[in-house]
Amino acid sequence: MYKVLVTDGISHTGLKSLLDHPHFIVDRQPTLNTEELKNIIGTYDALIVRSQTKVTEELLQAADRLHVIARAGVGVDNIDVNAATRKGIIVINAPGANTIAATEHTLAMMLALARKIPQAHQKTAAGEWDRNSFKGVELYKKTLGVVGMGKIGTEVAKRAKSFGMNILGFDPYLTEERAKKLGITKAGLDLIAAESDFITVHTPLTNDTRGIINDEFLAKTKKSVRIVNCARGGIINEKALVRAIQLGHVAGAALDVFEKEPAADPELLQNPNIIVTPHLGASTVEAQEKVAQEVSKEIIDIFETQSIQHAVNMPQMSGETQAKLQPYLLLGDQIGQLVIQLLKRQAPGKINIHYYGDLIDEDTELLTRTLLRGILSYHLSDSVNLINVLHLLKEQGVSYNVQKNATNKGFANYMELSVSQGTETARIGATVLNGYGARIVKINEYRIDIKPEKYLLYIKHQDVPGIIGKVGSLLGDYQINIGTMQVGRAEVGGEAIMVLTLDKGLGAEMLRELTHIDGLEEAQLLELTNMDALEPGHEELQKVESI
């Protein structure tokens, strides 16, 4: 018998498969405080939570029997996933169950915004019959810009078409062919800003999408544009939005999510042109039943058949495989992140992975998934993991190829990753040197030797005297400290690259100033996330024994 603890308000109907299963005992205790939960967690095999329960490292220290934590929803911000991974606990979620709920809430917010329904209701309920203050606009023949054409963005676009709207869609993975099938127009952000009457955002929150709707973007929009966010707080710069509404440039906004929740900013909550709801996108009876059904089914599958579909943390591996591949896992994730940035942040159309030397004798499936996750995570953030990465590649229409070659390429173990889109290709080669650790030893056709760091400045330039000094001097003027610098060139006096590790990042203004140096062709800041996620020393990452 397996014991399952449910600590938050989870749909009883959704839990039915677990409640009726002869091998599971389900305890529903939604009112436990932190100390009470800590005292009993050690007797359970699985834990199901929503957003209320905080699954901390301290709690997990007492969870000696726990094998699975299930989040009945999408986000896992309330779960210390790294601590769970170190303890060998699988963390799962229900990523697709709220698609329809979030889609419909977006349309509801758009309609409410267009017709000023909440404001009219409030005044009418107060006893004032005012038909003149709430003149709205129609959706018919208006242009809707959809920023993020994932599952929810796609469903919003389909439904908006039934209102007779013209749809502009932006997504790094949206192809012309897919846009044509959906009956929408593939567009860049500038076109969406210039042409849209309504704009709705449906992207993950990443470094690239944080504040993507900002002062600069809003300045390019049509006067009286209306903006909806039922995706993630932080995608819209709230201060910039308020300023644009106060200036009369933006007609209004409808927000279900906020930079800080619970929302408390009076400029948002008390603005008559902003409609707000308390993160209700997934709050339907049906969605809550679906998320409970999904996690219940997966818990049963994990314990009965060891099948995992929606894990958000790293799958387990044998101790022997771990010892051999551990140093390459973090490196693989890092070069995946870097190579997609070198492709000028385009979505890849094709991915090639090459393994050389002793790596060809290992089971490299986990390493391959890590490389692929690093690539996709740049655009898809934490929605991509080692379990779903192959599915997401197929869903996005991206092909990948893996080749193994016994040639050592000058190193005992060497891996090379290339991504391409059209005629553009970016390539990184890397290895782990005994006694020295991870090294990037090739970028495109140039040989270098550099340790991956959080901030890397990649510069393409002409191999002429003085450029290195000018770059160093300019960085010094901005108080940017250089850790290391490597230069690679194909021939004397020809094109060359330099890669510098920096102690902190630098902004767009400084990058533009660097490109003003004579002979310097390109400057790009490459940034790595999750630098310690797979650090050597996490020996706790052992294979979960057959449960």
Side-chain angles (χ1 to χ4, degrees):
M1 299 294 291
Y2 308 115
K3 292 185 65 179
V4 181
L5 177 63
V6 182
T7 60
D8 290 340
I10 310 291
S11 165
H12 182 86
T13 304
L15 293 171
K16 192 173 187 302
S17 61
L18 266 178
L19 293 167
D20 293 346
H21 200 288
H23 297 162
F24 291 85
I25 298 171
V26 180
D27 289 343
R28 305 185 69 190
Q29 300 195 47
T31 60
L32 291 173
N33 62 38
T34 302
E35 198 59 33
E36 289 171 334
L37 177 57
K38 185 178 176 182
N39 289 336
I40 66 171
I41 192 65
T43 65
Y44 290 92
D45 301 286
L47 172 67
I48 302 178
V49 302
R50 283 189 65 195
S51 56
Q52 182 177 338
T53 300
K54 307 301 180 187
V55 185
T56 63
E57 183 171 13
E58 182 182 3
L59 175 65
L60 292 175
Q61 287 175 353
D64 293 332
R65 181 172 160 179
L66 202 63
H67 288 296
V68 181
I69 301 167
R71 166 67 164 90
V74 180
V76 290
D77 295 345
N78 57 315
I79 301 170
D80 190 331
V81 177
N82 286 334
T85 301
R86 290 194 295 269
K87 202 170 175 67
I89 299 171
I90 301 165
V91 181
I92 64 172
N93 65 351
N98 68 345
T99 298
I100 298 302
T103 297
E104 292 184 355
H105 192 65
T106 300
L107 270 296
M109 294 285 269
M110 193 184 307
L111 286 165
L113 182 61
R115 300 305 299 269
K116 303 181 180 180
I117 292 172
Q119 299 92 326
H121 165 79
Q122 188 175 25
K123 206 165 189 180
T124 307
E128 190 172 349
W129 192 261
D130 180 4
R131 298 184 65 195
N132 298 319
S133 299
F134 304 109
K135 187 176 292 184
V137 297
E138 296 178 3
L139 301 188
Y140 183 60
K141 290 192 174 179
K142 297 297 192 303
T143 296
L144 171 64
V146 183
V147 180
M149 288 295 298
K151 290 181 180 178
I152 296 172
T154 297
E155 294 301 323
V156 168
K158 289 177 181 177
R159 285 156 179 77
K161 280 178 61 64
S162 69
F163 285 97
M165 300 188 82
N166 171 47
I167 314 297
L168 300 177
F170 167 78
D171 193 287
Y173 290 90
L174 179 64
T175 63
E176 293 286 358
E177 181 182 5
R178 180 165 170 254
K180 186 176 180 180
K181 285 182 180 179
L182 291 171
I184 70 172
T185 301
K186 180 183 176 182
L189 288 175
D190 285 349
L191 183 61
I192 283 179
E195 299 292 334
S196 298
D197 302 290
F198 291 81
I199 296 172
T200 179
V201 294
H202 298 285
T203 72
L205 183 63
T206 67
N207 287 337
D208 254 20
T209 62
R210 185 180 298 278
I212 195 172
I213 309 297
N214 52 24
D215 287 306
E216 183 180 0
F217 178 90
L218 293 171
K220 300 175 184 177
T221 58
K222 293 171 69 172
K223 184 174 172 59
S224 297
V225 67
R226 291 168 171 84
I227 297 174
V228 179
N229 185 9
C230 294
R232 289 286 185 270
I235 296 172
I236 295 176
N237 182 312
E238 293 171 356
K239 297 295 184 185
L241 177 63
V242 169
R243 283 191 291 271
I245 291 174
Q246 289 173 341
L247 289 170
H249 183 74
V250 172
L255 307 177
D256 184 50
V257 291
F258 304 86
E259 292 177 8
K260 292 184 179 179
E261 297 182 0
D265 187 347
E267 289 188 325
L268 293 173
L269 304 184
Q270 298 171 19
N271 191 305
N273 295 311
I274 300 178
I275 297 170
V276 293
T277 52
H279 207 142
L280 299 179
S283 294
T284 65
V285 172
E286 295 84 354
Q288 294 310 306
E289 285 184 2
K290 288 176 187 174
V291 294
Q293 288 168 356
E294 282 196 14
V295 297
S296 295
K297 180 182 182 302
E298 185 149 4
I299 285 174
I300 293 170
D301 288 343
I302 288 172
F303 283 90
E304 298 281 285
T305 67
Q306 289 76 56
S307 172
I308 307 171
Q309 295 298 317
H310 297 113
V312 300
N313 56 346
M314 194 179 81
Q316 310 307 304
M317 53 188 163
S318 70
E320 181 181 0
T321 302
Q322 177 195 330
K324 293 179 179 178
L325 291 185
Q326 182 75 50
Y328 292 89
L329 294 175
L330 177 56
L331 179 59
D333 186 70
Q334 290 169 340
I335 67 172
Q337 292 181 54
L338 293 173
V339 78
I340 195 64
Q341 294 177 65
L342 287 172
L343 197 63
K344 305 300 186 294
R345 297 173 169 83
Q346 298 181 81
K350 186 181 295 183
I351 300 170
N352 286 302
I353 300 170
H354 294 265
Y355 297 115
Y356 297 91
D358 295 341
L359 277 176
I360 69 168
D361 297 324
E362 303 299 333
D363 180 358
T364 54
E365 180 182 358
L366 180 61
L367 181 54
T368 296
R369 288 176 177 245
T370 302
L371 288 159
L372 296 172
R373 181 189 62 180
I375 295 169
L376 292 190
S377 66
Y378 187 81
H379 290 116
L380 302 181
S381 187
D382 54 5
S383 64
V384 58
N385 58 57
L386 294 172
I387 298 299
N388 67 11
V389 64
L390 299 184
H391 171 75
L392 289 175
L393 275 175
K394 184 177 179 180
E395 192 176 71
Q396 302 295 349
V398 180
S399 64
Y400 80 99
N401 179 56
V402 178
Q403 295 184 25
K404 294 185 175 183
N405 193 311
T407 306
N408 62 25
K409 290 285 185 176
F411 304 98
N413 292 293
Y414 175 76
M415 55 186 176
E416 190 167 291
L417 175 64
S418 68
V419 295
S420 60
Q421 180 57 263
T423 59
E424 298 291 326
T425 298
R427 180 179 291 104
I428 292 183
T431 188
V432 176
L433 298 176
N434 188 24
Y436 294 94
R439 286 292 187 275
I440 295 170
V441 295
K442 185 179 182 182
I443 294 182
N444 294 326
E445 66 271 30
Y446 301 101
R447 295 287 182 180
I448 61 168
D449 178 10
I450 199 144
K451 179 183 177 183
E453 298 284 355
K454 182 173 178 61
Y455 299 110
L456 299 174
L457 179 60
Y458 171 79
I459 292 174
K460 186 182 290 186
H461 61 95
Q462 290 299 312
D463 182 31
V464 295
I467 282 190
I468 294 174
K470 290 176 183 177
V471 169
S473 178
L474 184 56
L475 289 172
D477 290 343
Y478 278 83
Q479 300 298 305
I480 304 290
N481 196 43
I482 300 171
T484 60
M485 181 177 67
Q486 278 280 310
V487 177
R489 64 184 184 182
E491 59 183 29
V492 176
E495 196 173 66
I497 65 168
M498 68 175 88
V499 181
L500 301 87
T501 63
L502 308 178
D503 290 351
K504 60 181 180 179
L506 41 89
E509 178 185 349
M510 184 176 179
L511 286 171
R512 283 194 295 269
E513 194 167 341
L514 280 167
T515 58
H516 293 157
I517 296 174
D518 289 340
L520 196 149
E521 300 172 359
E522 178 186 337
Q524 185 179 0
L525 180 68
L526 309 176
E527 185 173 352
L528 291 172
T529 60
N530 302 325
M531 287 295 292
D532 61 347
L534 297 172
E535 278 186 349
H538 286 176
E539 286 79 16
E540 302 93 327
L541 287 171
Q542 301 296 330
K543 178 180 174 67
V544 176
E545 298 297 331
S546 183
I547 301 173

